[in-house]
Amino acid sequence: MGIVLKQSFKNTIIIYLAFLIGGVNTIIFYPEFLGSKFYGLVVYLLSTSNIIMPFLAFGVHFTMVKFFSSYETKEQKDRFLSSLIFLPLLIALPLGFLWDYFHQLIMNRVTEGNKNIESYTFSIYIISVCCAYFEFFYSWTKVQLNTVFGNVLKELWNRVVVMILLLFVFLEWITKIEFIYYLTYAYILRTIVMMFYAFKVYMPKFHLKLPDNFSEIIKYSAYIILAGSAGAILLDIDKNMIPNKDTIEKVAYYTVAVFMGSFIEAPSRAMTQILQPLTSKSLNDSDIGEVENLYKKSSINLFLVGGLFFLLVNCGVHELFKLMPEKGYAGGELVVLMISIAKLYTMFLGNNGAIIGNSKFYRITLPLGIGMALSVYFMNKLFYFKLDFGTDGLALATLITILFFNTVKLFFVKSKFLITPFTDKSWKMFVIILVLFCSFYFWNFSVPKVEIFNRDISPIFNLILKSILITVLYLFIVIKFSISNQINSIVRRYIKL
């Protein structure tokens, strides 16, 4: 786990810095400078792009991680990379020629009050293509166990660009409409930068000759198209469906709550980037002992770190919503709780998805992926459209879907590999999180009202005090119980307990 912890530590810092900047953008700059209408429009365009992207990518970024370590010579690796680089164009080019049809399809689904989407749908296509090739070149560096620079581009680039552009809107240097176009250009530039860096890390000699197992590569890519990204696009399906019933502003309100609930997954995203190729290598080497080792260690470490942020987010969510500029953002506490529970459960499973996706049983990911997408879609129809549960219904559909299908994955790995992520410390960790959640969720410090520029900032002081108390208690307990040997050894370097 040495290389995992080293790069994961760097990636975690990058991701939390990105989440910090994203938090400022999401909670302050977007609502204040762009307004909920244009904010909702931007989120809709990006979420629709995220739904289309896996199909354009043709699964090549997962295929690369799956097969690269199985090739022994440079020629074999170069033929493999050469065969993948043009595959996304097989879908992207026809889609571009037929975009007028897809444009009309999008417009037919939104309500009359959201027709302002019409002027910007081509940005959906451009961003989708750019994201597909960005993920391809990012995986190019991942298989070389070089993830940090790509992680900077993936997590920091767009958030920093958005912050700068929002400041430009505030200063009236650009209009809100121009914001959307400049953001699209930023996605194009990011992909070009990632491409040049990938070639710098590993420059292949391009071949016209296909790899010997090309038919297997195509089959895997076809299977993994939806399966590999199903979990990631579930929340984008939610955001994409809101304009079919409500105003585009509701997308903005839901996005803020989802961002808060998703905050806890940052360490998972950091560790997964390096766990993917390591898991693939262990499986290719038939080293099930190392697979189990990675499974258990990734589970307890992610559960521990995710548990802390689960508590900080949910026990401070009431104060966070008090800071929002519009009343429409308030009332999303249940959305935050349900999304964060779903994320925490996913983190508890560690590298479960990597084990399935990189094993000979990868075909199960297709029915699982389709099942997740269909499940959340039809439950959204039930809870959001028919039963009128509002955005709480969207979050409930996502929670049920993730709990059910992740449990299926858990039992699938157990049945095929005879391994689980459970240890005796897993149950201790669950009890610690549950007790602290029940202790801190329902009360706050009594802080006197403090106003700056006619805005009450006392929730900030309440949030800081509560967060400090929870963090100190949580860390003291998990260290005393030696929940994670890796984290305890890091702490002992600096502190004697």
Side-chain angles (χ1 to χ4, degrees):
M1 288 287 286
I3 189 170
V4 176
L5 288 174
K6 185 177 179 181
Q7 290 208 35
S8 291
F9 177 71
K10 293 179 181 178
N11 287 334
T12 299
I13 292 174
I14 292 167
I15 288 175
Y16 273 116
L17 178 60
F19 265 73
L20 178 63
I21 295 171
V24 173
N25 291 340
T26 302
I27 298 173
I28 302 174
F29 284 9
Y30 264 127
E32 292 282 358
F33 303 159
L34 208 60
S36 57
K37 184 175 182 178
F38 267 91
Y39 182 17
L41 173 60
V42 170
V43 171
Y44 176 82
L45 297 176
L46 295 179
S47 62
T48 307
S49 299
N50 289 339
I51 293 171
I52 296 173
M53 187 280 285
F55 300 96
L56 292 182
F58 199 67
V60 293
H61 48 306
F62 295 107
T63 303
M64 188 181 299
V65 174
K66 162 71 175 172
F67 288 99
F68 187 83
S69 63
S70 67
Y71 297 106
E72 297 180 355
T73 67
K74 186 178 188 305
E75 182 185 350
Q76 289 175 326
K77 293 177 180 178
D78 291 353
R79 284 164 58 189
F80 171 64
L81 294 174
S82 301
S83 69
L84 291 184
I85 196 166
F86 295 110
L87 281 181
L89 292 178
L90 296 179
I91 298 177
L93 291 178
L95 182 64
F97 283 115
L98 297 171
W99 189 251
D100 284 346
Y101 169 78
F102 285 97
H103 165 84
Q104 197 57 47
L105 187 66
I106 291 170
M107 296 314 302
N108 288 341
R109 294 178 65 245
V110 301
T111 62
E112 193 64 34
N114 296 320
K115 293 299 182 182
N116 58 327
I117 294 170
E118 186 168 13
S119 303
Y120 310 101
T121 59
F122 197 66
S123 288
I124 295 173
Y125 172 73
I126 296 295
I127 293 172
S128 299
V129 174
C130 289
C131 288
Y133 267 103
F134 174 83
E135 291 295 339
F136 171 77
F137 288 114
Y138 186 21
S139 291
W140 190 297
T141 63
K142 279 183 187 179
V143 295
Q144 305 297 328
L145 300 184
N146 187 326
T147 63
V148 176
F149 183 76
N151 197 37
V152 171
L153 292 181
K154 183 180 177 72
E155 302 294 345
L156 272 177
W157 175 285
N158 290 337
R159 291 174 172 88
V160 171
V161 167
V162 164
M163 178 173 278
I164 293 170
L165 291 177
L166 287 171
L167 287 171
F168 285 177
V169 171
F170 172 70
L171 296 171
E172 297 184 350
W173 292 355
I174 62 173
T175 65
K176 294 178 180 180
I177 294 173
E178 289 172 334
F179 171 89
I180 295 173
Y181 293 123
Y182 282 121
L183 184 59
T184 304
Y185 301 147
Y187 274 91
I188 297 172
L189 183 58
R190 182 184 71 153
T191 304
I192 294 171
V193 172
M194 189 70 243
M195 178 183 70
F196 281 113
Y197 182 75
F199 288 148
K200 180 183 176 183
V201 170
Y202 182 88
M203 174 58 78
K205 181 180 179 182
F206 289 99
H207 291 262
L208 293 176
K209 187 177 180 181
L210 298 174
D212 297 332
N213 62 337
F214 186 67
S215 60
E216 184 183 358
I217 290 170
I218 291 295
K219 288 178 183 176
Y220 180 82
S221 296
Y223 266 95
I224 211 71
I225 285 176
L226 178 60
S229 302
I233 67 173
L234 292 185
L235 293 172
D236 290 309
I237 293 174
D238 293 348
K239 298 168 190 173
N240 183 264
M241 293 178 73
I242 291 174
N244 302 353
K245 177 188 177 185
D246 287 314
T247 62
I248 201 77
E249 288 88 345
K250 280 284 185 71
V251 181
Y253 304 151
Y254 184 64
T255 299
V256 170
V258 167
F259 174 84
M260 292 178 183
S262 301
F263 182 79
I264 72 167
E265 72 174 342
S268 175
R269 291 167 65 173
M271 190 176 284
T272 298
Q273 288 159 5
I274 194 66
L275 276 172
Q276 279 274 5
L278 288 177
T279 303
S280 176
K281 187 177 186 306
S282 298
L283 287 166
N284 287 335
D285 295 341
S286 299
D287 189 353
I288 301 301
E290 179 59 18
V291 173
E292 183 177 17
N293 183 46
L294 289 170
Y295 197 20
K296 290 184 182 297
K297 287 185 176 180
S298 62
S299 170
I300 194 63
N301 286 319
L302 288 174
F303 196 28
L304 189 157
V305 178
L308 173 59
F309 286 93
F310 173 85
L311 292 171
L312 292 176
V313 168
N314 285 285
C315 295
V317 69
H318 304 286
E319 305 305 298
L320 284 171
F321 278 118
K322 290 177 184 177
L323 298 170
M324 298 303 298
E326 295 182 33
K327 290 183 178 179
Y329 290 99
E333 289 87 355
L334 271 179
V335 172
V336 175
L337 180 60
M338 287 187 281
I339 297 299
S340 60
I341 289 173
K343 297 293 184 182
L344 186 62
Y345 185 48
T346 301
M347 292 174 73
F348 169 68
L349 296 187
N351 64 333
N352 174 281
I355 293 172
I356 298 174
N358 291 287
S359 72
K360 63 182 179 180
F361 306 108
Y362 68 85
R363 288 179 178 84
I364 193 64
T365 58
L366 181 62
L368 286 175
I370 293 174
M372 290 179 75
L374 292 177
S375 175
V376 79
Y377 176 80
F378 285 112
M379 279 197 284
N380 281 349
K381 285 284 190 180
L382 174 64
F383 296 146
Y384 186 64
F385 289 90
K386 291 185 179 179
L387 299 180
D388 202 22
F389 284 1
T391 51
D392 289 347
L394 298 175
L396 179 60
T398 300
L399 175 61
I400 294 172
T401 299
I402 291 178
L403 290 180
F404 176 77
F405 283 95
N406 276 356
T407 302
V408 171
K409 291 178 184 179
L410 177 68
F411 282 102
F412 182 83
V413 169
K414 185 180 186 302
S415 67
K416 298 300 181 182
F417 297 93
L418 303 179
I419 59 176
T420 72
F422 301 115
T423 67
D424 59 330
K425 295 174 181 177
S426 302
W427 308 111
K428 293 178 184 177
M429 196 68 256
F430 174 77
V431 172
I432 291 168
I433 295 170
L434 181 62
V435 170
L436 290 179
F437 175 80
C438 293
S439 301
F440 287 97
Y441 186 75
F442 300 100
W443 69 269
N444 293 295
F445 287 96
S446 296
V447 178
K449 187 174 182 179
V450 180
E451 288 192 355
I452 295 181
F453 300 116
N454 296 320
R455 177 168 290 185
D456 182 15
I457 63 166
S458 57
I460 296 176
F461 297 109
N462 206 330
L463 193 60
I464 293 172
L465 290 172
K466 203 171 182 181
S467 298
I468 292 172
L469 181 57
I470 291 172
T471 302
V472 171
L473 265 176
Y474 186 87
L475 293 178
F476 177 79
I477 294 170
V478 298
I479 291 170
K480 276 298 183 183
F481 278 91
S482 297
I483 299 296
S484 167
N485 295 330
Q486 289 77 29
I487 291 177
N488 270 35
S489 63
I490 293 172
V491 170
R492 288 194 184 104
R493 293 179 189 175
Y494 307 100
I495 304 172
K496 288 186 178 181
L497 294 175

